[in-house]
């Protein structure tokens, strides 16, 4: 992986936040820290084992921890997706954002549409590791939360995120996603 300064600048997060994320991933054998040499992603065949990424969805963590991970990864995913996403991928993001809004307005089942919206963003990053990690995070959250998407914040947040994607504005998409997660946290009573 790039050194700490380069990676924190590229991801636009503080070095403290980056260190914590690396520490968590190292304890799960996803990353390996070699003193004096750098930080490395472990062999891909180790990722699916009992100590790898798949086991993360079974970890007993509190909801705050899970949402802190969302705050770390999803704004950057939105940033990358706005830059790297194909027109088809951007259209898919917008489709699922619109579908989520429609389901909220009609008081229908929103979880699948909302998760598809977020998965579409991650897919558009073209980052295979993120594509493997984020579904595990979403699964851990969905097993811990009873969703209540009646909040107008969700509709407004998704509209904002989609507008930034339509305009291919990575900084705007990143900021809108960050705000969206903060709104989710507040709606769930997470401080």
């Amino acid at each position: 992986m790039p050194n700490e300064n380069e990676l924190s600048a590229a991801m636009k997060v503080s070095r403290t936040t980056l260190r914590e994320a690396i520490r968590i991933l190292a304890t799960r054998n996803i990353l390996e820290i070699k003193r004096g040499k750098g930080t490395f992603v472990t062999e891909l065949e180790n990722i699916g084992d009992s100590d790898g990424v798949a086991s993360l969805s079974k970890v007993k963590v509190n909801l705050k921890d899970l949402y802190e991970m969302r705050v770390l990864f999803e704004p950057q995913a939105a940033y990358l997706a706005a830059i790297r996403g194909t027109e088809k991928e951007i259209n898919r993001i917008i489709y699922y954002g619109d579908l989520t809004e429609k389901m909220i307005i009609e008081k229908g089942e929103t979880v699948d549409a909302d998760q598809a919206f977020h998965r579409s963003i991650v897919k558009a990053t073209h980052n295979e590791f993120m594509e493997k990690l984020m579904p595990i995070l979403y699964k851990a959250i969905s097993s811990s939360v009873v969703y209540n998407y009646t909040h107008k914040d969700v509709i407004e947040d998704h509209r904002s995120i989609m507008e930034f994607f339509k305009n291919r504005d990575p900084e705007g998409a990143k900021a809108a996603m960050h705000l969206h997660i903060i709104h989710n946290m507040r709606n769930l009573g997470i401080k």
Side-chain angles (χ1 to χ4, degrees):
M1 291 180 53
N3 72 40
E4 193 175 273
N5 290 332
E6 292 171 0
L7 191 56
S8 66
M11 295 188 75
K12 296 185 174 35
V13 297
S14 72
R15 289 175 53 200
T16 303
T17 300
L18 178 64
R19 281 188 203 121
E20 181 63 14
I22 289 171
R23 185 192 64 76
I24 291 167
L25 293 172
T27 62
R28 293 284 160 207
N29 297 323
I30 296 166
L31 295 179
E32 181 180 2
I33 300 167
K34 295 181 181 178
R35 300 286 177 216
K37 294 184 179 180
T39 303
F40 301 87
V41 177
T42 59
E43 294 297 320
L44 291 177
E45 60 266 9
N46 294 338
I47 288 180
D49 68 17
S50 63
D51 290 328
V53 173
S55 68
L56 288 176
S57 63
K58 297 177 182 93
V59 172
K60 298 287 186 204
V61 294
N62 67 41
L63 202 52
K64 182 180 179 193
D65 291 344
L66 295 170
Y67 270 85
E68 284 176 353
M69 292 304 294
R70 281 190 76 186
V71 168
L72 283 171
F73 286 105
E74 285 195 70
Q76 189 63 28
Y79 178 91
L80 293 173
I83 294 171
R84 297 176 180 170
T86 64
E87 285 305 311
K88 184 177 179 181
E89 289 167 332
I90 298 299
N91 289 336
R92 185 179 305 126
I93 292 165
I94 293 164
Y95 168 80
Y96 283 119
D98 288 339
L99 181 60
T100 303
E101 179 178 337
K102 179 182 175 197
M103 299 307 284
I104 291 169
I105 291 168
E106 295 175 358
K107 309 259 189 267
E109 177 59 44
T110 60
V111 175
D112 291 341
D114 186 65
Q115 287 182 354
F117 173 72
H118 289 276
R119 280 194 312 269
S120 296
I121 292 170
V122 171
K123 180 89 172 145
T125 67
H126 297 264
N127 180 311
E128 289 183 48
F129 185 77
M130 197 174 287
E131 286 183 51
K132 299 279 189 219
L133 181 63
M134 293 311 292
I136 295 164
L137 180 60
Y138 298 146
K139 182 178 178 184
I141 289 171
S142 66
S143 68
S144 304
V145 175
V146 176
Y147 288 97
N148 180 11
Y149 290 126
T150 59
H151 304 286
K152 70 174 186 165
D153 285 345
V154 175
I155 291 174
E156 291 172 6
D157 290 351
H158 278 210
R159 284 179 182 169
S160 178
I161 293 166
M162 290 185 296
E163 191 61 33
F164 287 118
F165 274 109
K166 288 176 188 172
N167 294 323
R168 293 293 187 145
D169 180 342
E171 291 294 340
K174 180 178 180 176
M177 181 60 74
H178 185 267
L179 184 61
H180 175 53
I181 297 167
I182 297 301
H183 284 153
N184 278 319
M185 292 172 75
R186 286 184 187 150
N187 290 334
L188 292 167
I190 300 169
K191 297 180 181 187

